[in-house]
Structure formats: C-alpha cells, structure tokens
Amino acid sequence: IEESYIYKMATASDKFNWNDDTMDIAKDPISINDITSGNASAYVTSVKASVDSAYNYFKNAFGYKGLSGDGESFLVYINPNEYVEEDLPTERALYTNGKLMFFREDLTNGDINQNTVMHEYAHGVMHNIVGFRGTMEFSENSAIAEGMADVFSELAEATINGVADWVHNERILYEPQNGYLSYVPAQISIKTVSDCYNYSTIVSHLAYRISQSVPDVNTQNELWFKAMCLMTKNTDFSELSSIINTVASSMYNEYKLTDSQYQQISESLKLLDGKVSDVVID
C-alpha cells in the first residue's frame, strides 16, 4: 500500500446486521490521512497497519493485489460491538460479502493481532479464487478453508518476521490439543462451527510438518498458493492430499524440492488419508 489506497475504511453510525446486505446502510468513512498523520486511535491505526501488511504479503509473494487480485477497491469496517444486533465476543473479526470486518468493545486502545487480520484477509483471497465459504456451511471444505486461512497467516508471519510460531489464538498448530485434530480420523463428523475449527488444524498442522522439512518460506508459499489455486469449494481432505501431491511433484521436477523434502511431504500427506495416527518426520 503506497500513496493511493485501494481500500476504504469505515465505522458504523447506527445499528445494522453485520452478516447481510444492510451493512452498507450505516457507515462513516475513516480518513486514511487522519491515520497516517497520527490523528486516529491506536486500535484503528493498528488495523490499518495490519491490513497493509496483508495486502503487501499477497502482492509481493504471489503478485495478488487486494482481495480480488486485480486491485479492485474493498471496504474495511471497524465497528464497536454496541452497534451490532447480534451478541459478539469481546473481539470478533470476519470476511463477509467482500468486506473485512473487525469488532471490539473499545475502538481506542490496544493493537489488533496481526494473525487475526491476515487470517481474515486470506479468507477474502480464497473466496475470490476458490469460492471457499468458511464456516457458513459444515463440511470438510469448511474445515479446509479455516485451516488454509491459518496456514497463510503463519506463512505471512514467517515471510515478514523471518519465523512463524504456528499458534493462532487458542489453536496450537504445531501440536493440536483440546479437541483440535492433527490428522483425519477414520470417521469424519463435522456438524457445527466448532467442528470446522477442530478439523481445521489437520490442514494447518500438515503445513507445520511440511515447514519442518522445507524451511525456505518462499518454497512453502509457492506450494500452498499453487495448491489453493487448484482447489474448489467442494475440495475434501482426500482431494486436498492429491492436489498437494500434484503440486509437490511438479516442484520436485523443477528442482525446487530435494529428494528428501519431496519424500517428507509425501509422508506428511498420510495425515489426510483417514488412517494414520502418527507420521514420522526425520
């Protein structure tokens, strides 16, 4: 993001439902100039900086500009919970209807977590490329969408900061626990929003495993972005395994992966076959 911003920021001026078309009825623009000149709150300034980082990550790593990829303008809403009809958690973020939305009780103090913004920005990218709908439905594809959003959040962290911690809020991606899964079980049951998140760590844990054998973040970026571009809104865990294997095979043939790295990726993909309980990484 440079002098000309492709996105606009706004906040609510009246009550509206954040999950349907009425969200366009009530909005007050937030001046980008106020933010850059230091006349905005710490939280609003933090959201802008994080959206900028997300935009630059997808642009620099993949040549993908904005949520649509072609530089089309989009909206970023920053709204206090009091203006929303539904009861929301203390802090809530989402991508919906072509917009990034961030809610919290106090819009003045504190920073927003960079991973939170990157996760939602990734949802916008994936929705435009793949048609992923996230937790709007309960399916393997929904779990994959949530997992992929975490993956790009961690890859962005590694790209920007040089290292990723593989932790997203309460989801410990390097060693899932507390109901979160690290591999596809023999019987799959995804019936609630919580199930979508519990199964999402299968994908993000797979990405962590791959990162241990393929430490170069640019190579990881290429593997996961190409895999995402081959997915559809009906991709399940089995198809995801085939897609990643196809991309890894292509990159191996292009000498972008070593023999050992390709073998380790193939081993890690057993996490998606519905049978494995443990995968050994040398």
Side-chain angles (χ1 to χ4, degrees):
I1 303 290
E2 297 175 351
E3 293 182 3
S4 178
Y5 289 85
I6 70 165
Y7 67 87
K8 298 178 181 179
M9 301 181 73
T11 190
S13 59
D14 200 354
K15 287 186 179 295
F16 66 95
N17 186 321
W18 54 266
N19 203 26
D20 62 28
D21 293 336
T22 63
M23 67 174 66
D24 281 329
I25 295 175
K27 59 186 179 185
D28 283 337
I30 298 174
S31 169
I32 296 292
N33 289 334
D34 282 345
I35 300 175
T36 56
S37 62
N39 293 325
S41 72
Y43 178 71
V44 171
T45 301
S46 175
V47 170
K48 178 198 166 293
S50 294
V51 173
D52 286 358
S53 291
Y55 175 92
N56 287 325
Y57 165 67
F58 278 94
K59 177 176 70 71
N60 296 334
F62 313 114
Y64 194 90
K65 299 179 180 180
L67 300 181
S68 65
D70 58 7
E72 181 182 352
S73 181
F74 60 92
L75 272 174
V76 178
Y77 277 150
I78 305 176
N79 298 319
N81 282 346
E82 65 185 276
Y83 288 124
V84 183
E85 292 178 358
E86 283 85 353
D87 292 330
L88 294 178
T90 302
E91 185 159 62
R92 174 74 181 264
L94 68 156
Y95 166 81
T96 183
N97 292 340
K99 302 172 180 67
L100 295 171
M101 308 189 77
F102 304 100
F103 302 91
R104 67 158 38 177
E105 293 178 355
D106 183 354
L107 298 185
T108 59
N109 297 316
D111 295 335
I112 193 168
N113 188 299
Q114 171 71 67
N115 280 9
T116 298
V117 176
M118 197 68 69
H119 176 102
E120 300 306 333
Y121 195 100
H123 271 306
V125 172
M126 292 188 296
H127 178 77
N128 279 277
I129 293 178
V130 186
F132 280 161
R133 293 172 58 82
T135 54
M136 292 182 70
E137 58 186 41
F138 309 139
S139 66
E140 292 180 42
N141 187 264
S142 296
I144 290 171
E146 291 303 323
M148 290 291 287
D150 280 351
V151 170
F152 283 114
S153 175
E154 294 304 312
L155 292 181
E157 185 177 320
T159 301
I160 297 169
N161 300 328
V163 64
D165 60 9
W166 294 96
V167 175
H168 188 89
N169 295 329
E170 77 281 2
R171 298 191 288 280
I172 302 176
L173 310 181
Y174 61 84
E175 189 177 346
Q177 49 195 278
N178 299 326
Y180 295 103
L181 302 177
S182 60
Y183 64 92
V184 177
Q187 298 295 323
I188 297 173
S189 178
I190 302 176
K191 299 179 179 179
T192 67
V193 171
S194 293
D195 290 338
C196 292
Y197 287 110
N198 289 343
Y199 278 78
S200 74
T201 47
I202 295 171
V203 178
S204 50
H205 181 64
L206 170 64
Y208 165 74
R209 293 271 192 172
I210 291 175
S211 75
Q212 300 306 288
S213 55
V214 185
D216 180 66
V217 69
N218 293 324
T219 304
Q220 295 176 55
N221 278 331
E222 181 175 350
L223 174 70
W224 284 99
F225 192 80
K226 285 183 173 179
M228 183 265 292
C229 288
L230 292 176
M231 295 181 199
T232 73
K233 60 183 179 181
N234 297 314
T235 294
D236 58 14
F237 290 120
S238 177
E239 183 177 320
L240 176 60
S241 179
S242 297
I243 288 172
I244 295 175
N245 183 63
T246 296
V247 174
S249 295
S250 175
M251 293 178 67
Y252 172 70
N253 291 333
E254 294 171 351
Y255 303 102
K256 295 178 179 178
L257 294 171
T258 66
D259 289 345
S260 175
Q261 289 172 339
Y262 179 60
Q263 291 170 3
Q264 291 293 342
I265 291 174
S266 298
E267 177 72 10
S268 295
L269 287 176
K270 292 179 181 178
L271 293 168
L272 302 177
D273 68 9
K275 300 175 183 178
V276 70
S277 59
D278 189 31
V279 176
V280 176
I281 299 292
D282 292 337

